[in-house]
Amino acid sequence: MNNTNLLAPRATQRAAEIPWLTGARAALPFAMAFMPYALAIGAVAERSDVGGLLGWSTSWLVYAGTSQLVGIQLVDAGASAALVIGIVVLINARMVAYAAALSPAWRTAPPWWTAMASYVLVDPAYLISTEHGPARATDEPEVHRRQRQHYLGAAVTLWLTWLVNCAVGVIVGGRLSAYLPGGLVGELMLASIVAMSMSSSASRLAASLGFALGVPAALLPFSLGAPLACLTAIAVTASLTGRRA
Amino acid sequence: MNAWFILGAAGAIAFGLRWAIVLVAARRPISETVVALSGLVAPSIAAALLAGALVRTETAADLPLQVVAVVVGGVVAWRTRSVLLTLGAGLAAYALLGLLS
């Protein structure tokens, strides 16, 4: 089936350009926008027992802002290894949705490519790929190849700039943290994650329940409170919105 | 256990699952229920961690200031979706309340 005519005019024009470069160009504003986030992660890491070096290393060990922040906070709170790993994996669960959306263009790619692409898959890379990439409604291998190049150009740019941002974050944020109230930067970052991820009535309900349950759950030992509050909030939200698995 | 090992293992397993999902999704469609539930994790865990962080505020007198700063920051984040403005508004609210109290 020839689907070339399905390409939108804007996408056709972009297709004539180099996909790697257009992807990288689309990623630069995101890289700038995430600088404060990296500063906050640096400040939180410096204040915690995790420290600056490991705090920065989470940028390539874990590579996802929310997972890094939560992982650092859980380790600092003395949570068990299983708990930290479980929560980081849970936070990454939204990649299921991204993988499902991107899989048509990735289906014909070799395993090494999907491994690399999976490693650098983060929220802005997905957004750029779906909103700024070449048109998606096609089965043509050449269009898929261009989509993959565009994605990787954006995702690798985001990864490289995130490493630099986090290094600056640890150096500058670490110094700033001496002048900031204890814990407030981390709390503000968590508040921003909550606010920005409340995109539907179900996510708003899950966030409200997570917060309400998180207060009494904070008294539980072994840092079990937040994960239990989270799982309970998801279960209640799923049952109330009819999304039980 | 060593913090390097814990965070390294968390990253490695998260990557492994991401890759596995990509490989699976390439062969068969993922259930809409799983996709929908995966979107609930980030808001609920961040909210629960935020509640716990506020409950464990070291200085009791500081709690009202931090709660107001977080509420201000949360509203700004919701309206602007800007991390920089969120941090700026929350810290400014905290400093202002500190001066007034």
Side-chain angles (χ1 to χ4, degrees), chain A residues 5-85:
Chain A
N5 58 340
L6 292 175
L7 292 173
R10 187 180 64 128
T12 311
Q13 187 187 346
R14 285 229 174 100
E17 301 171 25
I18 302 166
W20 291 92
L21 284 179
T22 53
R25 212 179 301 148
L28 286 177
F30 285 90
M32 302 278 284
F34 280 95
M35 184 69 212
Y37 205 162
L39 274 176
I41 288 174
V44 170
E46 263 310 292
R47 280 194 92 101
S48 72
D49 289 340
V50 168
L53 181 59
L54 179 52
W56 173 77
S57 297
T58 57
S59 62
W60 54 270
L61 283 171
V62 178
Y63 184 47
T66 307
S67 300
Q68 286 176 237
L69 189 69
V70 171
I72 289 169
Q73 291 192 325
L74 284 172
V75 167
D76 187 47
S80 69
L83 210 56
V84 177
I85 292 166

Side-chain angles (χ1 to χ4, degrees), chain B residues 4-99:
Chain B
W4 280 87
F5 174 79
I6 295 172
L7 288 169
I13 293 171
F15 158 69
L17 284 175
R18 241 174 358 210
W19 190 22
I21 289 163
V22 167
L23 293 175
V24 168
R27 286 172 177 77
R28 68 173 88 158
I30 292 174
S31 148
E32 279 185 22
T33 305
V34 174
V35 172
L37 289 179
S38 69
L40 302 179
V41 177
S44 55
I45 187 65
L49 282 167
L50 176 60
L54 288 172
V55 167
R56 285 190 294 271
T57 300
E58 287 167 11
T59 318
D62 210 31
L63 181 60
L65 303 186
Q66 294 210 13
V67 169
V68 172
V70 164
V71 169
V72 169
V75 170
V76 170
W78 183 52
R79 299 290 297 178
T80 67
R81 309 186 80 80
S82 161
V83 174
L84 186 61
L85 289 178
T86 302
L87 283 172
L91 291 172
Y94 181 87
L96 192 64
L97 287 170
L99 286 174

